[in-house]
Amino acid sequence: MKKSKMKWLGTLGVAVLLASSLNVNAQGFRGDQKPTSDHPMEMNIGQRPEQQGPERRGLERRGPEIPNLTEAQESQLKEFHLQEMKKAQPIENLVAEKEARLNTLTTAEKYAEKAVNKVIEEIGDLKTDLAKLKVAGQHQIKSILTEEQLVFFNQHQPKGPKENGPRRN
Protein backbone atom coordinates (compact mmCIF):
# COMPACT_ATOMS: atom_id res chain seq x y z
CA MET A 1 0.00 0.00 0.00
CA LYS A 2 2.79 2.36 0.90
CA LYS A 3 4.66 1.75 -2.39
CA SER A 4 1.61 2.48 -4.55
CA LYS A 5 0.95 5.64 -2.57
CA MET A 6 4.58 6.76 -3.11
CA LYS A 7 4.32 6.00 -6.86
CA TRP A 8 1.11 7.98 -7.06
CA LEU A 9 2.66 10.94 -5.21
CA GLY A 10 5.78 10.75 -7.41
CA THR A 11 3.66 10.80 -10.56
CA LEU A 12 1.62 13.68 -9.20
CA GLY A 13 4.83 15.59 -8.38
CA VAL A 14 6.18 15.10 -11.89
CA ALA A 15 2.87 16.25 -13.37
CA VAL A 16 2.89 19.37 -11.20
CA LEU A 17 6.49 20.14 -12.23
CA LEU A 18 5.64 19.74 -15.92
CA ALA A 19 2.53 21.87 -15.62
CA SER A 20 4.38 24.62 -13.77
CA SER A 21 7.18 24.70 -16.35
CA LEU A 22 4.86 25.53 -19.23
CA ASN A 23 5.44 28.94 -20.75
CA VAL A 24 2.21 30.85 -20.33
CA ASN A 25 1.60 33.99 -22.34
CA ALA A 26 -0.40 36.23 -20.03
CA GLN A 27 -1.17 38.83 -22.67
CA GLY A 28 -2.31 37.32 -25.92
CA PHE A 29 -2.63 39.22 -29.17
CA ARG A 30 -5.90 40.72 -30.27
CA GLY A 31 -6.95 40.13 -33.88
CA ASP A 32 -5.02 42.82 -35.76
CA GLN A 33 -2.14 43.02 -33.26
CA LYS A 34 -0.67 39.62 -34.07
CA PRO A 35 2.75 40.21 -35.63
CA THR A 36 3.50 38.72 -39.01
CA SER A 37 6.16 36.07 -38.99
CA ASP A 38 9.70 36.92 -40.06
CA HIS A 39 10.38 33.26 -40.76
CA PRO A 40 10.96 32.71 -44.49
CA MET A 41 9.08 29.40 -44.50
CA GLU A 42 5.89 30.91 -43.10
CA MET A 43 3.65 32.77 -45.48
CA ASN A 44 1.75 35.91 -44.63
CA ILE A 45 -1.35 34.63 -46.40
CA GLY A 46 -3.77 37.15 -47.81
CA GLN A 47 -1.34 40.03 -47.86
CA ARG A 48 -0.20 41.99 -50.88
CA PRO A 49 3.59 42.15 -51.37
CA GLU A 50 3.79 45.71 -50.02
CA GLN A 51 2.08 44.52 -46.81
CA GLN A 52 4.44 41.60 -46.34
CA GLY A 53 7.84 41.81 -44.70
CA PRO A 54 10.79 43.20 -46.66
CA GLU A 55 12.17 39.71 -47.32
CA ARG A 56 9.09 39.01 -49.46
CA ARG A 57 9.59 42.15 -51.57
CA GLY A 58 13.11 41.41 -52.72
CA LEU A 59 16.36 42.32 -51.00
CA GLU A 60 15.89 42.56 -47.27
CA ARG A 61 16.30 46.10 -46.03
CA ARG A 62 17.61 46.86 -42.57
CA GLY A 63 16.27 49.74 -40.58
CA PRO A 64 13.64 52.33 -41.43
CA GLU A 65 12.84 53.60 -44.90
CA ILE A 66 14.93 56.66 -45.71
CA PRO A 67 12.60 59.40 -46.98
CA ASN A 68 12.73 60.93 -50.48
CA LEU A 69 15.16 58.48 -52.05
CA THR A 70 15.67 58.82 -55.77
CA GLU A 71 15.65 55.74 -57.98
CA ALA A 72 19.41 56.09 -58.41
CA GLN A 73 19.87 56.14 -54.63
CA GLU A 74 17.57 53.10 -54.26
CA SER A 75 19.58 51.11 -56.78
CA GLN A 76 22.87 52.18 -55.15
CA LEU A 77 21.57 51.14 -51.72
CA LYS A 78 20.54 47.74 -53.08
CA GLU A 79 23.97 47.31 -54.64
CA PHE A 80 25.72 48.35 -51.40
CA HIS A 81 23.58 45.91 -49.43
CA LEU A 82 24.25 43.08 -51.87
CA GLN A 83 28.01 43.70 -51.68
CA GLU A 84 27.89 43.74 -47.89
CA MET A 85 25.86 40.52 -47.75
CA LYS A 86 28.36 38.81 -50.08
CA LYS A 87 31.23 39.83 -47.80
CA ALA A 88 29.41 39.04 -44.54
CA GLN A 89 28.03 35.59 -45.42
CA PRO A 90 31.35 33.68 -45.28
CA ILE A 91 32.26 35.40 -42.01
CA GLU A 92 28.84 34.59 -40.50
CA ASN A 93 29.27 30.97 -41.59
CA LEU A 94 32.66 30.82 -39.85
CA VAL A 95 31.14 32.31 -36.68
CA ALA A 96 28.46 29.60 -36.72
CA GLU A 97 31.13 26.90 -37.17
CA LYS A 98 33.25 28.30 -34.34
CA GLU A 99 30.21 28.54 -32.05
CA ALA A 100 29.38 24.90 -32.80
CA ARG A 101 33.00 23.98 -31.99
CA LEU A 102 32.78 25.98 -28.77
CA ASN A 103 29.61 24.11 -27.84
CA THR A 104 31.40 20.82 -28.48
CA LEU A 105 34.37 21.84 -26.36
CA THR A 106 32.31 23.16 -23.45
CA THR A 107 30.09 20.09 -23.28
CA ALA A 108 32.95 17.56 -23.48
CA GLU A 109 33.81 15.42 -20.48
CA LYS A 110 37.28 16.91 -20.22
CA TYR A 111 37.54 20.69 -20.21
CA ALA A 112 40.30 21.99 -22.48
CA GLU A 113 40.71 25.58 -21.31
CA LYS A 114 43.31 26.57 -23.92
CA ALA A 115 41.20 25.25 -26.80
CA VAL A 116 38.05 26.94 -25.45
CA ASN A 117 39.82 30.27 -25.03
CA LYS A 118 41.31 30.04 -28.52
CA VAL A 119 37.88 29.44 -30.10
CA ILE A 120 36.35 32.29 -28.08
CA GLU A 121 39.07 34.64 -29.35
CA GLU A 122 38.51 33.47 -32.93
CA ILE A 123 34.77 34.15 -32.59
CA GLY A 124 35.54 37.59 -31.18
CA ASP A 125 37.86 38.39 -34.10
CA LEU A 126 35.24 37.31 -36.63
CA LYS A 127 32.54 39.37 -34.94
CA THR A 128 34.91 42.35 -34.95
CA ASP A 129 35.32 41.88 -38.71
CA LEU A 130 31.52 41.83 -39.10
CA ALA A 131 31.18 45.04 -37.06
CA LYS A 132 33.83 46.75 -39.21
CA LEU A 133 32.01 45.61 -42.34
CA LYS A 134 28.73 47.03 -41.00
CA VAL A 135 30.26 50.41 -40.14
CA ALA A 136 31.95 50.60 -43.55
CA GLY A 137 28.57 49.86 -45.16
CA GLN A 138 26.91 52.63 -43.16
CA HIS A 139 29.63 55.05 -44.25
CA GLN A 140 29.08 54.01 -47.86
CA ILE A 141 25.33 54.64 -47.52
CA LYS A 142 25.91 58.03 -45.92
CA SER A 143 28.06 59.08 -48.86
CA ILE A 144 25.05 59.11 -51.25
CA LEU A 145 22.46 60.73 -48.97
CA THR A 146 21.31 64.34 -48.94
CA GLU A 147 21.63 66.34 -45.73
CA GLU A 148 17.97 65.73 -44.79
CA GLN A 149 18.25 61.99 -45.48
CA LEU A 150 21.52 61.84 -43.54
CA VAL A 151 19.91 63.39 -40.45
CA PHE A 152 17.06 60.84 -40.66
CA PHE A 153 19.51 57.96 -41.18
CA ASN A 154 21.64 58.98 -38.19
CA GLN A 155 18.61 59.37 -35.91
CA HIS A 156 17.26 55.92 -36.77
CA GLN A 157 20.39 53.85 -36.20
CA PRO A 158 20.05 51.14 -33.56
CA LYS A 159 21.27 52.24 -30.18
CA GLY A 160 22.99 50.03 -27.67
CA PRO A 161 25.30 47.07 -27.96
CA LYS A 162 22.88 44.67 -29.66
CA GLU A 163 20.65 45.26 -32.63
CA ASN A 164 18.62 42.11 -32.00
CA GLY A 165 18.34 42.44 -28.23
CA PRO A 166 15.27 43.33 -26.18
CA ARG A 167 13.41 46.34 -27.45
CA ARG A 168 12.71 49.27 -25.15
CA ASN A 169 9.49 51.22 -25.63
Side-chain angles (χ1 to χ4, degrees):
M1 185 70 160
K2 203 167 196 165
K3 280 188 180 183
S4 64
K5 203 174 204 181
M6 291 299 283
K7 279 184 180 180
W8 186 83
L9 284 174
T11 305
L12 181 64
V14 169
V16 168
L17 281 175
L18 286 174
S20 66
S21 67
L22 292 176
N23 185 7
V24 178
N25 186 1
Q27 296 178 345
F29 293 108
R30 289 183 299 207
D32 60 338
Q33 289 182 333
K34 187 173 182 182
T36 57
S37 174
D38 287 335
H39 195 277
M41 296 301 289
E42 295 179 19
M43 295 180 64
N44 298 319
I45 298 171
Q47 293 182 340
R48 295 187 304 267
E50 62 273 9
Q51 293 174 316
Q52 295 174 352
E55 68 281 351
R56 296 248 179 242
R57 286 182 262 146
L59 279 178
E60 183 178 333
R61 173 169 286 164
R62 296 168 306 187
E65 296 282 332
I66 301 170
N68 306 320
L69 287 175
T70 64
E71 286 188 28
Q73 286 175 317
E74 280 279 350
S75 66
Q76 283 181 307
L77 288 176
K78 284 182 182 179
E79 183 60 33
F80 293 161
H81 183 64
L82 182 62
Q83 289 172 3
E84 186 178 334
M85 286 190 325
K86 283 181 178 180
K87 291 177 186 175
Q89 187 64 54
I91 299 171
E92 290 170 349
N93 290 343
L94 283 173
V95 169
E97 287 177 22
K98 299 290 182 185
E99 287 176 342
R101 177 71 180 140
L102 181 62
N103 186 39
T104 301
L105 289 171
T106 56
T107 56
E109 262 186 57
K110 291 187 177 183
Y111 179 69
E113 184 177 1
K114 285 184 182 180
V116 168
N117 289 340
K118 181 181 177 195
V119 173
I120 290 171
E121 288 174 13
E122 290 171 351
I123 291 170
D125 291 342
L126 290 169
K127 287 187 176 183
T128 299
D129 292 343
L130 283 173
K132 289 177 182 178
L133 189 62
K134 180 181 174 184
V135 170
Q138 288 174 343
H139 178 71
Q140 200 174 23
I141 290 170
K142 289 178 180 184
S143 70
I144 65 166
L145 298 179
T146 65
E147 200 169 318
E148 176 187 335
Q149 293 167 336
L150 187 59
V151 168
F152 180 87
F153 183 81
N154 287 333
Q155 287 178 342
H156 290 86
Q157 289 302 303
K159 304 206 176 12
K162 278 197 168 182
E163 195 172 322
N164 296 330
R167 301 198 195 291
R168 290 180 248 172
N169 292 337

